[in-house]
Amino acid sequence: MSGCFITFEGVEGVGKSTQLGLLEDRLVSDGFDVVVTREPGGTPLAEQMRALVLHNRSEPMPDAAELMLMFAARAVHTENLIRPALERGAIVLCDRYTDATYAYQGGGRGIADRLIDPLVELAQRGLWPALTILLDAPVGPSLERAKARTGKTDRIESETLAFFERVRDRYRARAAAEPGRIQVVDATGSREAVAARIQTLIRPILGR
Ligand code: TMP
């Protein structure tokens, strides 16, 4: 596969989408073929699955169903969008991928890795990002920012502060275990300062 797969991770409100947009602008102006996408979602079918898993409704969603919907959406997205884009040589910038599942369904909900691992195998058939940028900042202010932005919360955003602390802890633990792929970026400070940190990480990956 000749393209380059880069993912952005972090808790809600940490600035992922802003930074992803800034990087997209930069890469497009440098002449790269860039595809921007997100999870859960990214294709019409996977976006329908996103609505299923994130919308608030009165009937409870068991954690197992949430986990499997994330992977159903991921299988669709990986096969129908990410792989074809990489095969034609594009840079794929994806807002969240499998690290989010280990952080939210693993760290947040408490589902064991041994139950998640086989679904990873099935849904993405070995496709992992070349680089994952983990935007890291204290959870409290990040969540406040996310809530102020949208004005309403989806099913997962309505979780407690303790849930998001576990999510952040799991993200950081994954970064410590895979320092080659997952780069932690301090997401505090101006958006220009954070963008400059990300540029420094991207340059060697795209040095071709
Ligand atoms: P976002 O597009 O605002 O980041 O919302 C996606 C939500 O879905 C966010 O709360 C994180 C959550 N999520 C999971 O719980 N597991 C996953 O595997 C993915 C991709 C997202």
Side-chain angles (χ1 to χ4, degrees):
M1 225 171 281
S2 58
C4 186
F5 184 24
I6 298 172
T7 59
F8 281 69
E9 298 283 358
V11 297
E12 273 78 352
V14 82
K16 265 182 309 102
S17 308
T18 305
Q19 291 302 328
L20 206 149
L22 291 172
L23 181 61
E24 175 190 14
D25 293 346
R26 178 64 192 265
L27 294 174
V28 168
S29 72
D30 286 348
F32 287 102
D33 173 5
V34 183
V35 173
V36 171
T37 187
R38 68 171 181 182
E39 288 216 344
T43 76
L45 178 56
E47 287 289 330
Q48 288 189 358
M49 294 168 174
R50 176 188 178 94
L52 270 179
V53 72
L54 293 183
H55 281 181
N56 281 304
R57 47 178 78 71
S58 53
E59 183 175 354
M61 167 93 57
D63 293 348
E66 179 180 279
L67 176 73
M68 290 187 283
L69 282 169
M70 293 297 177
F71 278 110
R74 181 160 303 130
V76 170
H77 187 217
T78 302
E79 293 309 316
N80 296 354
L81 187 143
I82 301 175
R83 269 186 207 283
L86 293 174
E87 274 158 13
R88 71 158 204 263
I91 297 175
V92 176
L93 302 180
C94 188
D95 190 338
R96 302 189 185 281
Y97 195 61
T98 306
D99 295 298
T101 312
Y102 285 102
Y104 283 78
Q105 282 66 52
R109 302 281 188 225
I111 299 178
D113 284 2
R114 71 181 166 76
L115 298 174
I116 301 177
D117 295 342
L119 298 174
V120 172
E121 183 71 32
L122 190 62
Q124 67 204 61
R125 297 191 299 116
L127 182 69
W128 281 96
L131 172 69
T132 295
I133 293 163
L134 171 57
L135 291 172
D136 185 60
V139 167
S142 300
L143 289 181
E144 288 306 316
R145 206 170 315 125
K147 278 178 193 159
R149 188 181 51 211
T150 58
K152 57 183 171 30
T153 50
D154 66 31
R155 221 174 42 75
I156 294 176
E157 283 168 346
S158 322
E159 281 298 334
T160 60
L161 192 61
F163 175 92
F164 289 102
E165 293 287 4
R166 292 197 299 277
V167 170
R168 182 188 184 198
D169 287 349
R170 180 61 68 92
Y171 268 137
R172 287 156 63 106
R174 285 185 66 75
E178 273 192 79
R181 175 176 67 85
I182 308 177
Q183 300 286 332
V184 183
V185 170
D186 176 3
T188 60
S190 71
R191 55 184 236 168
E192 291 74 20
V194 177
R197 289 175 203 138
I198 292 173
Q199 278 294 326
T200 311
L201 293 172
I202 293 288
R203 248 178 252 126
I205 296 274
L206 300 181
R208 57 187 179 151

